[in-house]
Amino acid sequence: LDKKVRQNIWEDNNFINYKKMSENLAVVRSRLNRPLTYAEKILYSHLDDPHGQDIERGKSYLKLRPDRVACQDATAQMAILQFMSAGMDQVANPTTVHCDHLIEAQVGGERDLARAISINKEVYDFLSSACAKYNIGFWRPGSGIIHQIILENYAFPGGLLIGTDSHTPNGGGLGMAAIGVGGADAVDVMANLPWELKAPNVIGVKLTGQLSGWTAPKDIILKVADILTVKGGTGAIVEYHGPGVDTISCTGMASCANMGAEIGATTSVFPFNDRMYDYLAATKRKDIGDFARGYASELRADEGAEYDQLIELNLSELEPHINGPFTPDLGTPISKFSQAVKENGWPEELKVGLIGSCTNSSYEDMSRAASIARDALDHGLKAKAAFTVTPGSEQIRATIARDGQLKTFEEFGGMVLANACGPCIGQWDRQDVKKGEANSILSSYNRNFTGRNDGNPATHSFVTSPDLVVALTIAGSLHFNPLTDKLKDKDGNEFLLKPPTGDGLPVRGYDPGNDTYQAPPKDRMGVTVQVAPTSDRLQVLQPFQPWDGKDVKDIPILIKAKGKTTTDHISMAGPWLKYRGHLDNISNNMLIGAINEANDEANKIKNFTTGDWDAVPAVARDYKKKGIKWVVIGDWNYGEGSSREHAALEPRHLGGLAIVTRSFARIHETNLKKQGMLPLTFADPADYDKIKPDDKVDILCTQLAVGEPITMVVHPKDGKSFEVPLQHTFNEAQIEWFKNGSALNTMAKTA
Ligand code: SF4
């Protein structure tokens, strides 16, 4: 068990440590004394302190040591900029960056890619040079979608990966706990801080029977999403098991794990089996498969392990599903879909069918889809609706180009897009309908929220298997059920489409295609990270100032926010996304969505130094310029929503000291601490009402100690000062973050 097996073919010095994982598990087992689910085994074998860690599902916060980090290009920018500010020579844990989100689909793969490379040049140059400098593997634009590349190259059974993208769980198809996180978490792991996760509950999905005919692996997750709904997996890992698992291809399992993100699950996992072994062998990692076989008993649930919830699915009875529109958990079996279209008045004509994406672009998916297109072509038919194909990786593109599927799609009338996210993330210059015009599209993607694909809120977007996408594209109608409905061939004769067939793995092996990987150079000292000082998309971060050791007196309340203040209110998305790598520019959206209690308006607050009303970021900048720190007063669950680190970086950048609220969303609270801010809560939530927007406050920072309250002295504009006790959740290590100015400054000091 203590063989030296590399994690992947690209990195010489990163090994899989099954021995250590096994030892950690033995420690945990002796403490818990009960059978463990596979999801637990993966997590607990990565504990920072298996001896001392509290372990209670759904309650404890686990401190974990992931094996790897992966970032996509939109989220990598700020993560790497932050990492750079820590002043370390290289990442402490294996990391890769993948260029996939910034490529717009317009006229087809090659030209779209060339255009994206020119538009995003400064971002790509920055990422590529920073990766070279800090020992990070860099997958250039055109290489493919992050999750497909991870599955093909980096995922391994029993591993723990965090990725700055919500569909990171795709790696569960290879038995890995692959978890989507915010940039701040990725930075922690790059900088060698342990990563914290609330110990998830475990939802078991027991699969029996066997898939056949038109039913595809995707239908499993479409059905599970229908059962559990978009919130049903929150705080839980979905663990598939049972004899049905062995009947699904590895890439099919990945599709199910990928779309588990749609039910809010932390991640989804499948136990290691021969299908995974075959995939590892086909992707040049037979040694990992052999190693995992030696450790197989730890790569599945223990006999008698208990789940917090159990769902059973008989694959032999599972019907193909179509989910949507507007939400991925509205599932309809194909036999009832036509009726549902009528009853709900969904637009009947299918305008566009889209296959591929990180969810469904495996060799098997493409082969099955091509078999249906070929059947249609043999009957003299082509796609009636527009049709696009997004290969998930350069390897898939090259392999299906070699083996003929790509040619079939083109003959069928398809447009082959770049190996990138494209229409799945709204990077789609769609011309066939006007904004506001109701229409239907059908994709093999995972997410179908309003406007996600084309920015048109009237587009009814449905998700399904690639098989059904192709079939309905032939008919051009949402009323078509390929299992029962006949089509007319070119001579007017009726025929039934044949159920799809296709190899799970390419018989001739994968063709790697163009070389799209940039390994870190041996000599990294001479590499300069490329950031133009004039750039408005990228800005090198300066470390935040350490605390001066003093209480802070008589400072203003920038805004007293009323009601819901989510991370979207604090740092809006949409048009601001392009400034994600430029802290100063993106700070112009700070708190612009929060409602000011003084006037019930958003983005209009009073500057106490001038008496003028102005935008929140403008006032904060003015205070900063004048050397005046400030606080925000917030309501319940401040910072709920996402783990977006910009929501914590921006107030810190613009001179904020503390955010004082009735309560915090936990991730945002931690993010604030990481950036050297003070997230504080009213000991008595009713004290929130005693504060007026134009009061001044003292924050007695010198009182900061574990478990001790902090005093805020309030100086009302008219009236007597009074004290308000505040609470906090800082531990010893986090207090150091505040003192040093940030968690990264603290890491830099100890590195
Ligand atoms: Fe996300 Fe879609 Fe890209 Fe997958 S293809 S990573 S779901 S944007």
Side-chain angles (χ1 to χ4, degrees):
L1 276 183
D2 54 357
K3 278 197 282 188
K4 275 205 145 189
V5 174
R6 292 193 299 167
Q7 283 191 16
N8 53 71
I9 64 167
W10 305 105
E11 299 161 353
D12 289 334
N13 299 314
N14 297 323
F15 300 96
I16 296 176
N17 204 338
Y18 282 151
K19 183 161 180 270
K20 169 90 182 309
M21 284 155 65
S22 189
E23 285 163 4
N24 285 354
L25 270 185
V27 173
V28 172
R29 249 202 207 96
S30 69
R31 293 178 50 207
L32 297 183
N33 216 3
R34 63 168 171 82
L36 300 172
T37 63
Y38 179 40
E40 289 182 292
K41 285 178 161 182
I42 303 180
L43 293 182
Y44 305 162
S45 63
H46 288 84
L47 283 173
D48 185 43
D49 175 14
H51 292 276
Q53 168 78 57
D54 279 344
I55 302 173
E56 196 178 343
R57 283 195 331 217
K59 295 230 164 59
S60 327
Y61 286 93
L62 305 178
K63 283 206 161 62
L64 298 163
R65 293 286 179 183
D67 297 299
R68 308 192 57 84
V69 180
C71 301
Q72 41 100 328
D73 46 3
T75 46
Q77 298 168 51
M78 187 53 80
I80 291 184
L81 286 162
Q82 285 185 80
F83 175 76
M84 284 166 61
S85 77
M88 297 169 83
D89 293 344
Q90 61 170 326
V91 286
N93 285 296
T95 302
T96 50
V97 166
H98 305 263
C99 295
D100 55 2
H101 273 59
L102 306 176
I103 302 169
E104 188 189 53
Q106 208 176 64
V107 291
E110 254 172 64
R111 279 158 65 196
D112 290 347
L113 177 61
R115 200 179 53 254
I117 289 174
S118 122
I119 293 171
N120 301 309
K121 185 172 184 316
E122 61 176 328
V123 173
Y124 294 146
D125 285 350
F126 161 66
L127 290 175
S128 121
S129 55
C131 287
K133 176 106 190 149
Y134 297 105
N135 204 21
I136 298 171
F138 180 66
W139 289 82
R140 290 194 286 262
S143 57
I145 306 169
I146 175 168
H147 312 305
Q148 187 64 33
I149 303 277
I150 295 290
L151 194 75
E152 288 174 357
N153 297 277
Y154 297 106
F156 62 88
L160 177 64
L161 165 112
I162 60 165
T164 59
D165 189 90
S166 45
H167 293 96
T168 303
N170 192 67
L174 254 180
M176 179 173 231
I179 301 180
V181 298
D185 288 4
V187 177
D188 285 354
V189 179
M190 289 179 198
N192 215 22
L193 283 164
W195 173 62
E196 217 181 35
L197 175 76
K198 190 172 187 179
N201 287 318
V202 187
I203 299 174
V205 178
K206 183 173 180 189
L207 303 178
T208 56
Q210 181 151 16
L211 294 172
S212 64
W214 284 89
T215 309
K218 180 75 166 283
D219 294 305
I220 299 169
I221 182 60
L222 293 172
K223 179 72 188 170
V224 169
D226 182 49
I227 297 170
L228 284 174
T229 79
V230 287
K231 289 215 176 103
T234 309
I237 295 185
V238 176
E239 179 169 322
Y240 293 87
H241 61 283
V245 166
D246 295 333
T247 71
I248 312 167
S249 64
C250 173
T251 52
M253 294 190 259
S255 298
C256 297
N258 174 305
M259 203 179 151
E262 264 33 78
I263 54 170
T266 304
T267 191
S268 301
V269 290
F270 283 82
F272 174 64
N273 66 7
D274 289 349
R275 309 302 297 267
M276 293 183 194
Y277 182 92
D278 294 344
Y279 184 75
L280 285 167
T283 49
K284 303 198 179 88
R285 294 172 290 169
K286 186 170 169 301
D287 55 341
I288 296 181
D290 291 329
F291 195 23
R293 276 187 172 164
Y295 184 77
S297 63
E298 293 297 28
L299 298 172
R300 59 174 178 254
D302 290 337
E303 196 73 39
E306 285 188 13
Y307 296 100
D308 297 282
Q309 187 182 348
L310 185 64
I311 295 170
E312 293 203 41
L313 276 189
N314 182 345
L315 302 181
S316 305
E317 291 167 2
L318 183 64
E319 252 196 86
H321 273 62
I322 297 180
N323 288 23
F326 307 122
T327 181
D329 60 352
L330 179 61
T332 311
I334 186 69
S335 59
K336 304 219 167 63
F337 190 65
S338 173
Q339 193 189 332
V341 171
K342 269 193 216 117
E343 283 170 9
N344 292 292
W346 296 331
E348 303 182 351
E349 182 192 351
L350 177 62
K351 285 277 187 190
V352 191
L354 309 102
I355 66 165
S357 90
C358 66
T359 327
N360 271 117
S361 58
S362 65
Y363 189 78
E364 179 178 56
D365 290 330
M366 294 295 169
S367 301
R368 284 172 61 106
S371 77
I372 304 165
R374 175 53 59 200
D375 193 14
L377 289 166
D378 289 346
H379 287 89
L381 300 183
K382 287 190 174 190
K384 198 159 178 188
F387 179 59
T388 72
V389 181
T390 302
S393 68
E394 169 59 10
Q395 174 160 280
I396 289 290
R397 188 208 58 77
T399 309
I400 62 174
R402 181 198 66 195
D403 292 352
Q405 294 92 336
L406 210 58
K407 192 157 165 287
T408 301
F409 292 139
E410 282 171 345
E411 245 179 84
F412 180 63
M415 183 198 279
V416 180
L417 303 174
N419 315 319
C421 300
C424 182
I425 191 66
Q427 294 278 18
W428 186 16
D429 182 23
R430 189 176 176 196
Q431 300 289 349
D432 65 317
V433 295
K434 292 206 177 61
K435 212 172 192 159
E437 190 181 326
N439 73 99
S440 290
I441 64 172
L442 186 61
S443 78
S444 71
Y445 305 166
N446 43 27
R447 199 163 268 187
N448 57 353
F449 299 149
T450 307
R452 174 171 169 101
N453 304 115
D454 59 1
N456 179 2
T459 293
H460 292 52
S461 172
F462 298 86
V463 289
T464 187
S465 66
D467 306 341
L468 284 202
V469 174
V470 176
L472 272 69
T473 299
I474 301 169
S477 164
L478 293 193
H479 288 301
F480 180 64
N481 175 358
L483 282 80
T484 53
D485 300 347
K486 292 190 169 145
L487 292 165
K488 282 206 175 116
D489 71 11
K490 62 176 188 317
D491 305 318
N493 300 319
E494 290 196 328
F495 75 101
L496 205 56
L497 282 171
K498 289 195 215 74
T501 54
D503 290 327
L505 296 167
V507 177
R508 293 164 62 197
Y510 284 102
D511 180 338
N514 297 322
D515 179 11
T516 52
Y517 175 66
Q518 173 193 296
K522 287 246 155 12
D523 173 18
R524 294 180 291 100
M525 293 297 282
V527 179
T528 312
V529 178
Q530 292 177 35
V531 180
T534 51
S535 170
D536 69 348
R537 288 179 72 178
L538 293 163
Q539 180 190 37
V540 173
L541 292 176
Q542 298 307 322
F544 294 126
Q545 288 298 312
W547 176 50
D548 62 6
K550 297 187 190 135
D551 291 334
V552 182
K553 299 275 180 70
D554 211 30
I555 57 172
I557 293 166
L558 181 73
I559 180 170
K560 182 178 177 195
K562 189 174 139 185
K564 228 182 193 358
T565 311
T566 68
T567 44
D568 261 328
H569 295 99
I570 306 169
S571 177
M572 265 184 196
W576 295 94
L577 290 182
K578 79 177 223 250
Y579 298 119
R580 274 191 175 174
H582 197 296
L583 180 56
D584 196 51
N585 282 350
I586 202 168
S587 293
N588 287 331
N589 77 357
M590 186 189 74
L591 283 159
I592 62 177
I595 301 300
N596 182 8
E597 193 199 61
N599 55 3
D600 276 341
E601 285 185 51
N603 206 20
K604 193 170 172 194
I605 57 170
K606 196 173 168 190
N607 182 329
F608 89 96
T609 64
T610 62
D612 297 338
W613 292 81
D614 209 339
V616 183
V619 176
R621 278 185 197 282
D622 191 50
Y623 291 167
K624 184 180 176 185
K625 204 166 80 201
K626 293 171 176 159
I628 304 167
K629 291 195 188 321
W630 45 264
V631 301
V632 169
I633 305 292
D635 216 322
W636 296 106
N637 209 19
Y638 184 95
E640 69 177 281
S642 78
S643 55
R644 194 172 302 156
E645 72 267 36
H646 297 82
L649 278 160
E650 292 176 26
R652 179 72 165 111
H653 173 63
L654 293 185
L657 170 75
I659 313 284
V660 182
T661 69
R662 285 174 137 150
S663 68
F664 281 101
R666 192 174 171 282
I667 295 177
H668 183 61
E669 182 185 18
T670 309
N671 284 350
L672 286 167
K673 289 180 191 167
K674 282 180 187 163
Q675 302 307 341
M677 301 261 320
L678 290 173
L680 305 167
T681 51
F682 294 104
D684 177 1
D687 283 345
Y688 169 88
D689 294 318
K690 292 190 192 156
I691 319 265
K692 297 283 167 283
D694 47 11
D695 294 348
K696 297 271 189 50
V697 299
D698 304 339
I699 302 282
L700 306 188
C701 312
T702 50
Q703 294 175 345
L704 184 62
V706 177
E708 300 292 329
I710 280 196
T711 308
M712 176 165 79
V713 185
V714 182
H715 307 291
K717 199 158 177 221
D718 318 294
K720 251 179 88 190
S721 299
F722 59 94
E723 290 190 354
V724 172
L726 302 176
Q727 289 172 332
H728 64 84
T729 57
F730 278 87
N731 60 29
E732 284 296 351
Q734 293 169 337
I735 289 177
E736 291 306 306
W737 300 350
F738 173 70
K739 288 184 176 164
N740 292 317
S742 70
L744 283 177
N745 287 358
T746 310
M747 284 313 293
K749 252 177 116 169
T750 51

PDB file of all heavy atoms in Angstrom, residues 13 28 91 93 110 173 183 280 305 317 394 406 443 539 561 580 652 657 681 716 734:
ATOM      1  N   ASN A  13       6.113  15.146  -8.878  1.00  0.00           N
ATOM      2  CA  ASN A  13       6.371  15.057  -7.435  1.00  0.00           C
ATOM      3  C   ASN A  13       5.120  15.017  -6.564  1.00  0.00           C
ATOM      4  O   ASN A  13       5.207  15.203  -5.358  1.00  0.00           O
ATOM      5  CB  ASN A  13       7.241  16.242  -7.000  1.00  0.00           C
ATOM      6  CG  ASN A  13       8.570  16.214  -7.713  1.00  0.00           C
ATOM      7  OD1 ASN A  13       9.191  15.153  -7.794  1.00  0.00           O
ATOM      8  ND2 ASN A  13       8.971  17.342  -8.268  1.00  0.00           N
ATOM      9  N   VAL A  28      -9.795   7.436  13.039  1.00  0.00           N
ATOM     10  CA  VAL A  28     -11.184   7.895  13.138  1.00  0.00           C
ATOM     11  C   VAL A  28     -12.111   6.731  13.490  1.00  0.00           C
ATOM     12  O   VAL A  28     -12.998   6.852  14.328  1.00  0.00           O
ATOM     13  CB  VAL A  28     -11.623   8.561  11.811  1.00  0.00           C
ATOM     14  CG1 VAL A  28     -13.113   8.869  11.815  1.00  0.00           C
ATOM     15  CG2 VAL A  28     -10.813   9.833  11.580  1.00  0.00           C
ATOM     16  N   VAL A  91       2.798  27.557  -4.826  1.00  0.00           N
ATOM     17  CA  VAL A  91       1.630  27.032  -4.109  1.00  0.00           C
ATOM     18  C   VAL A  91       2.054  25.847  -3.246  1.00  0.00           C
ATOM     19  O   VAL A  91       2.927  25.068  -3.615  1.00  0.00           O
ATOM     20  CB  VAL A  91       0.500  26.608  -5.069  1.00  0.00           C
ATOM     21  CG1 VAL A  91      -0.205  27.810  -5.641  1.00  0.00           C
ATOM     22  CG2 VAL A  91       1.003  25.706  -6.190  1.00  0.00           C
ATOM     23  N   ASN A  93       0.050  23.398  -2.340  1.00  0.00           N
ATOM     24  CA  ASN A  93      -0.632  22.171  -2.765  1.00  0.00           C
ATOM     25  C   ASN A  93      -0.832  22.209  -4.277  1.00  0.00           C
ATOM     26  O   ASN A  93      -0.980  23.283  -4.853  1.00  0.00           O
ATOM     27  CB  ASN A  93      -1.995  22.056  -2.065  1.00  0.00           C
ATOM     28  CG  ASN A  93      -1.831  21.646  -0.611  1.00  0.00           C
ATOM     29  OD1 ASN A  93      -1.362  20.557  -0.309  1.00  0.00           O
ATOM     30  ND2 ASN A  93      -2.185  22.543   0.289  1.00  0.00           N
ATOM     31  N   GLU A 110     -13.021  27.355 -34.037  1.00  0.00           N
ATOM     32  CA  GLU A 110     -11.704  27.954 -34.241  1.00  0.00           C
ATOM     33  C   GLU A 110     -11.723  29.475 -34.192  1.00  0.00           C
ATOM     34  O   GLU A 110     -10.897  30.105 -33.531  1.00  0.00           O
ATOM     35  CB  GLU A 110     -11.160  27.522 -35.594  1.00  0.00           C
ATOM     36  CG  GLU A 110     -10.058  26.508 -35.460  1.00  0.00           C
ATOM     37  CD  GLU A 110      -9.667  25.940 -36.795  1.00  0.00           C
ATOM     38  OE1 GLU A 110      -9.178  26.718 -37.633  1.00  0.00           O
ATOM     39  OE2 GLU A 110      -9.873  24.723 -36.996  1.00  0.00           O
ATOM     40  N   GLY A 173     -17.374  11.156 -10.412  1.00  0.00           N
ATOM     41  CA  GLY A 173     -17.468  10.036 -11.353  1.00  0.00           C
ATOM     42  C   GLY A 173     -16.262   9.125 -11.270  1.00  0.00           C
ATOM     43  O   GLY A 173     -16.303   7.977 -11.691  1.00  0.00           O
ATOM     44  N   GLY A 183     -13.218  31.515  -4.069  1.00  0.00           N
ATOM     45  CA  GLY A 183     -11.796  31.781  -4.268  1.00  0.00           C
ATOM     46  C   GLY A 183     -11.018  31.824  -2.961  1.00  0.00           C
ATOM     47  O   GLY A 183      -9.868  31.369  -2.894  1.00  0.00           O
ATOM     48  N   LEU A 280      -9.625   4.914 -16.036  1.00  0.00           N
ATOM     49  CA  LEU A 280      -8.253   5.299 -15.657  1.00  0.00           C
ATOM     50  C   LEU A 280      -7.255   4.699 -16.644  1.00  0.00           C
ATOM     51  O   LEU A 280      -6.323   5.370 -17.104  1.00  0.00           O
ATOM     52  CB  LEU A 280      -7.944   4.814 -14.235  1.00  0.00           C
ATOM     53  CG  LEU A 280      -8.602   5.608 -13.102  1.00  0.00           C
ATOM     54  CD1 LEU A 280      -8.499   4.866 -11.771  1.00  0.00           C
ATOM     55  CD2 LEU A 280      -7.965   7.011 -12.964  1.00  0.00           C
ATOM     56  N   ALA A 305     -23.139   0.820   6.730  1.00  0.00           N
ATOM     57  CA  ALA A 305     -23.060   2.280   6.912  1.00  0.00           C
ATOM     58  C   ALA A 305     -24.456   2.888   6.768  1.00  0.00           C
ATOM     59  O   ALA A 305     -25.255   2.435   5.946  1.00  0.00           O
ATOM     60  CB  ALA A 305     -22.133   2.883   5.856  1.00  0.00           C
ATOM     61  N   GLU A 317     -36.458   0.594 -14.631  1.00  0.00           N
ATOM     62  CA  GLU A 317     -37.772   1.237 -14.782  1.00  0.00           C
ATOM     63  C   GLU A 317     -37.673   2.739 -15.060  1.00  0.00           C
ATOM     64  O   GLU A 317     -38.685   3.403 -15.209  1.00  0.00           O
ATOM     65  CB  GLU A 317     -38.592   1.047 -13.488  1.00  0.00           C
ATOM     66  CG  GLU A 317     -39.011  -0.385 -13.271  1.00  0.00           C
ATOM     67  CD  GLU A 317     -39.539  -0.616 -11.859  1.00  0.00           C
ATOM     68  OE1 GLU A 317     -39.610   0.353 -11.069  1.00  0.00           O
ATOM     69  OE2 GLU A 317     -39.866  -1.764 -11.552  1.00  0.00           O
ATOM     70  N   GLU A 394     -10.177  19.199 -25.546  1.00  0.00           N
ATOM     71  CA  GLU A 394      -9.479  19.037 -26.817  1.00  0.00           C
ATOM     72  C   GLU A 394      -9.317  17.544 -27.130  1.00  0.00           C
ATOM     73  O   GLU A 394      -9.415  17.122 -28.282  1.00  0.00           O
ATOM     74  CB  GLU A 394      -8.109  19.744 -26.733  1.00  0.00           C
ATOM     75  CG  GLU A 394      -7.134  19.467 -27.866  1.00  0.00           C
ATOM     76  CD  GLU A 394      -7.656  19.853 -29.248  1.00  0.00           C
ATOM     77  OE1 GLU A 394      -8.704  20.518 -29.351  1.00  0.00           O
ATOM     78  OE2 GLU A 394      -7.009  19.458 -30.246  1.00  0.00           O
ATOM     79  N   LEU A 406     -17.788  13.695 -35.215  1.00  0.00           N
ATOM     80  CA  LEU A 406     -17.837  15.137 -35.470  1.00  0.00           C
ATOM     81  C   LEU A 406     -18.339  15.405 -36.900  1.00  0.00           C
ATOM     82  O   LEU A 406     -19.149  16.312 -37.126  1.00  0.00           O
ATOM     83  CB  LEU A 406     -16.444  15.735 -35.272  1.00  0.00           C
ATOM     84  CG  LEU A 406     -16.376  17.163 -34.793  1.00  0.00           C
ATOM     85  CD1 LEU A 406     -17.099  17.346 -33.468  1.00  0.00           C
ATOM     86  CD2 LEU A 406     -14.918  17.588 -34.606  1.00  0.00           C
ATOM     87  N   SER A 443     -30.964  21.461 -23.956  1.00  0.00           N
ATOM     88  CA  SER A 443     -29.530  21.208 -23.918  1.00  0.00           C
ATOM     89  C   SER A 443     -29.208  19.999 -23.052  1.00  0.00           C
ATOM     90  O   SER A 443     -30.031  19.550 -22.258  1.00  0.00           O
ATOM     91  CB  SER A 443     -28.786  22.425 -23.357  1.00  0.00           C
ATOM     92  OG  SER A 443     -28.910  22.460 -21.949  1.00  0.00           O
ATOM     93  N   GLN A 539      -5.334  43.972 -11.291  1.00  0.00           N
ATOM     94  CA  GLN A 539      -4.558  44.874 -10.445  1.00  0.00           C
ATOM     95  C   GLN A 539      -3.829  44.040  -9.394  1.00  0.00           C
ATOM     96  O   GLN A 539      -4.450  43.220  -8.705  1.00  0.00           O
ATOM     97  CB  GLN A 539      -5.513  45.846  -9.738  1.00  0.00           C
ATOM     98  CG  GLN A 539      -4.833  46.835  -8.838  1.00  0.00           C
ATOM     99  CD  GLN A 539      -5.846  47.609  -7.987  1.00  0.00           C
ATOM    100  OE1 GLN A 539      -6.845  47.058  -7.535  1.00  0.00           O
ATOM    101  NE2 GLN A 539      -5.568  48.876  -7.763  1.00  0.00           N
ATOM    102  N   ALA A 561     -27.476  49.073   7.117  1.00  0.00           N
ATOM    103  CA  ALA A 561     -28.236  48.321   6.110  1.00  0.00           C
ATOM    104  C   ALA A 561     -29.458  47.692   6.760  1.00  0.00           C
ATOM    105  O   ALA A 561     -29.383  47.140   7.853  1.00  0.00           O
ATOM    106  CB  ALA A 561     -27.347  47.246   5.500  1.00  0.00           C
ATOM    107  N   ARG A 580     -13.402  41.291 -11.887  1.00  0.00           N
ATOM    108  CA  ARG A 580     -13.087  40.390 -10.783  1.00  0.00           C
ATOM    109  C   ARG A 580     -11.603  40.352 -10.416  1.00  0.00           C
ATOM    110  O   ARG A 580     -11.238  39.945  -9.330  1.00  0.00           O
ATOM    111  CB  ARG A 580     -13.529  38.978 -11.122  1.00  0.00           C
ATOM    112  CG  ARG A 580     -14.949  38.746 -10.768  1.00  0.00           C
ATOM    113  CD  ARG A 580     -15.194  37.296 -10.886  1.00  0.00           C
ATOM    114  NE  ARG A 580     -16.526  36.966 -10.434  1.00  0.00           N
ATOM    115  CZ  ARG A 580     -17.034  35.749 -10.535  1.00  0.00           C
ATOM    116  NH1 ARG A 580     -16.332  34.793 -11.081  1.00  0.00           N
ATOM    117  NH2 ARG A 580     -18.234  35.505 -10.103  1.00  0.00           N
ATOM    118  N   ARG A 652     -12.740  45.929   3.031  1.00  0.00           N
ATOM    119  CA  ARG A 652     -11.390  46.042   3.605  1.00  0.00           C
ATOM    120  C   ARG A 652     -10.570  47.034   2.772  1.00  0.00           C
ATOM    121  O   ARG A 652      -9.878  47.899   3.302  1.00  0.00           O
ATOM    122  CB  ARG A 652     -10.739  44.659   3.594  1.00  0.00           C
ATOM    123  CG  ARG A 652      -9.329  44.631   4.135  1.00  0.00           C
ATOM    124  CD  ARG A 652      -9.309  44.807   5.632  1.00  0.00           C
ATOM    125  NE  ARG A 652      -8.023  44.443   6.196  1.00  0.00           N
ATOM    126  CZ  ARG A 652      -7.167  45.308   6.724  1.00  0.00           C
ATOM    127  NH1 ARG A 652      -7.460  46.588   6.779  1.00  0.00           N
ATOM    128  NH2 ARG A 652      -6.020  44.890   7.224  1.00  0.00           N
ATOM    129  N   LEU A 657     -13.473  48.888   8.991  1.00  0.00           N
ATOM    130  CA  LEU A 657     -12.855  48.231  10.146  1.00  0.00           C
ATOM    131  C   LEU A 657     -13.692  47.036  10.605  1.00  0.00           C
ATOM    132  O   LEU A 657     -13.158  45.958  10.841  1.00  0.00           O
ATOM    133  CB  LEU A 657     -12.735  49.229  11.309  1.00  0.00           C
ATOM    134  CG  LEU A 657     -12.324  48.611  12.650  1.00  0.00           C
ATOM    135  CD1 LEU A 657     -10.841  48.271  12.654  1.00  0.00           C
ATOM    136  CD2 LEU A 657     -12.656  49.541  13.824  1.00  0.00           C
ATOM    137  N   THR A 681     -21.179  40.734  16.260  1.00  0.00           N
ATOM    138  CA  THR A 681     -22.648  40.666  16.340  1.00  0.00           C
ATOM    139  C   THR A 681     -23.130  41.275  17.655  1.00  0.00           C
ATOM    140  O   THR A 681     -22.425  41.231  18.672  1.00  0.00           O
ATOM    141  CB  THR A 681     -23.144  39.198  16.279  1.00  0.00           C
ATOM    142  OG1 THR A 681     -22.432  38.440  17.245  1.00  0.00           O
ATOM    143  CG2 THR A 681     -22.934  38.607  14.899  1.00  0.00           C
ATOM    144  N   PRO A 716     -24.451  59.012  19.876  1.00  0.00           N
ATOM    145  CA  PRO A 716     -25.529  59.523  19.018  1.00  0.00           C
ATOM    146  C   PRO A 716     -25.256  60.977  18.649  1.00  0.00           C
ATOM    147  O   PRO A 716     -24.533  61.680  19.353  1.00  0.00           O
ATOM    148  CB  PRO A 716     -26.765  59.418  19.904  1.00  0.00           C
ATOM    149  CG  PRO A 716     -26.382  58.527  21.041  1.00  0.00           C
ATOM    150  CD  PRO A 716     -24.913  58.676  21.221  1.00  0.00           C
ATOM    151  N   GLN A 734      -7.358  33.065  14.366  1.00  0.00           N
ATOM    152  CA  GLN A 734      -8.029  34.128  13.603  1.00  0.00           C
ATOM    153  C   GLN A 734      -7.728  35.502  14.182  1.00  0.00           C
ATOM    154  O   GLN A 734      -7.704  36.494  13.452  1.00  0.00           O
ATOM    155  CB  GLN A 734      -9.537  33.857  13.586  1.00  0.00           C
ATOM    156  CG  GLN A 734      -9.878  32.598  12.782  1.00  0.00           C
ATOM    157  CD  GLN A 734     -11.314  32.154  12.975  1.00  0.00           C
ATOM    158  OE1 GLN A 734     -11.950  32.481  13.977  1.00  0.00           O
ATOM    159  NE2 GLN A 734     -11.826  31.381  12.020  1.00  0.00           N
TER     160      GLN A 734
END
